[in-house]
Amino acid sequence: HEDAFGVVLVHEPAHLGDEAQEGLHGHVAVGGGALRQVAQAAAGLHRAHVENVIHRDVKPANIFLTSQGRAVVMDFGVCKLNDLATGVTLVGQVVGTPRYLAPEQLLDGAVDARTDVFALGVVLFYLLTGTHLRPEPDLKTAFQAITSNADVRRVKEHRHIPEELKDVLTTALSLQQDARFESARALGEALEATQLLLHHEAVTTELVHGGEDGGTGPADASSRDLSLRSAGLVESQPGAGDAQGP
């Protein structure tokens, strides 16, 4: 059934990704599947945000797939009712999972919908590449990533993520809240538009080159493969080590 925030509760769902187990393999295809499912999660979060509820702990383990393959956000156990009038938040208490924390969660800033947008950007990077944006799951690594802007830099330096997706990711992962997508809905719309664009480009490339690599090297082949999967033209095989790290 569906609750007031548009979060669908399902029986025995599959995780979008569970860090305590194998991860995303076997549950969700990266690439096109990742864009579609993160957009679906963004839609659910937007409905919560409209009710002034901020999740604060968005991560793969809290996003599930229904039997129809739809991604839904669950576990609002650390959510916050956002006081739009005062901007009140807890000071001196870090709530959430270090790998997915937004800068304002670590720096005692006021959390809002864009805090969850940041976490969705981290989730998307993980689903696209099969690697964590922050290599270690601790607060020290999270602080270092923020002070050095390592999250955005790592996205920009990744060789196999299409440039169009890098633009979406770097916007979602901006250090300043005002520089991010203004809402989860805006992020979802950007992902849907990007998938359509990548689909068009991939189809054109396939028609021109006949599906051949044309003698490109392994790095080019990997980039092309991720572009095709991002466009939804190719689905990865579970457990196949879908994409290379940066």
Side-chain angles (χ1 to χ4, degrees), residues 138-209:
D138 54 62
L139 287 175
K140 179 180 178 181
T141 300
F143 272 112
Q144 290 174 340
I146 289 171
T147 56
S148 64
N149 203 21
D151 294 331
V152 168
R153 186 175 68 251
R154 191 170 184 210
V155 169
K156 290 181 177 180
E157 293 175 351
H158 201 289
R159 294 175 297 167
H160 306 318
I161 298 177
E163 290 300 321
E164 296 86 348
L165 273 179
K166 287 184 179 180
D167 290 341
V168 175
L169 282 166
T170 55
T171 300
L173 295 170
S174 296
L175 291 179
Q176 301 299 322
Q177 288 162 281
D178 288 343
R180 296 177 208 152
F181 292 101
E182 63 180 3
S183 67
R185 181 196 301 192
L187 170 60
E189 290 173 348
L191 289 173
E192 291 170 353
T194 301
Q195 184 168 2
L196 286 174
L197 177 61
L198 290 172
H199 183 277
H200 174 75
E201 293 178 349
V203 169
T204 301
T205 300
E206 288 295 285
L207 289 174
V208 171
H209 298 290

Side-chain angles (χ1 to χ4, degrees), residues 59-196:
K59 57 185 176 182
N62 287 339
I63 304 175
F64 294 77
L65 297 179
T66 67
S67 57
Q68 292 77 36
R70 179 167 175 248
V72 294
V73 181
M74 300 178 71
D75 193 359
F76 276 69
V78 298
C79 71
K80 174 182 181 292
L81 285 174
N82 202 36
D83 188 332
L84 298 182
T86 66
V88 172
T89 188
L90 292 175
V91 176
Q93 179 180 354
V94 176
V95 178
T97 303
R99 274 189 168 132
Y100 303 91
L101 290 175
E104 58 271 18
Q105 289 175 282
L106 286 163
L107 303 176
D108 291 335
V111 301
D112 59 21
R114 296 166 295 183
T115 302
D116 289 343
V117 166
F118 184 97
L120 279 176
V122 183
V123 170
L124 180 58
F125 180 90
Y126 174 53
L127 294 180
L128 286 171
T129 67
T131 60
H132 290 291
L133 188 59
R134 296 170 182 169
E136 300 299 331
D138 54 62
L139 287 175
K140 179 180 178 181
T141 300
F143 272 112
Q144 290 174 340
I146 289 171
T147 56
S148 64
N149 203 21
D151 294 331
V152 168
R153 186 175 68 251
R154 191 170 184 210
V155 169
K156 290 181 177 180
E157 293 175 351
H158 201 289
R159 294 175 297 167
H160 306 318
I161 298 177
E163 290 300 321
E164 296 86 348
L165 273 179
K166 287 184 179 180
D167 290 341
V168 175
L169 282 166
T170 55
T171 300
L173 295 170
S174 296
L175 291 179
Q176 301 299 322
Q177 288 162 281
D178 288 343
R180 296 177 208 152
F181 292 101
E182 63 180 3
S183 67
R185 181 196 301 192
L187 170 60
E189 290 173 348
L191 289 173
E192 291 170 353
T194 301
Q195 184 168 2
L196 286 174

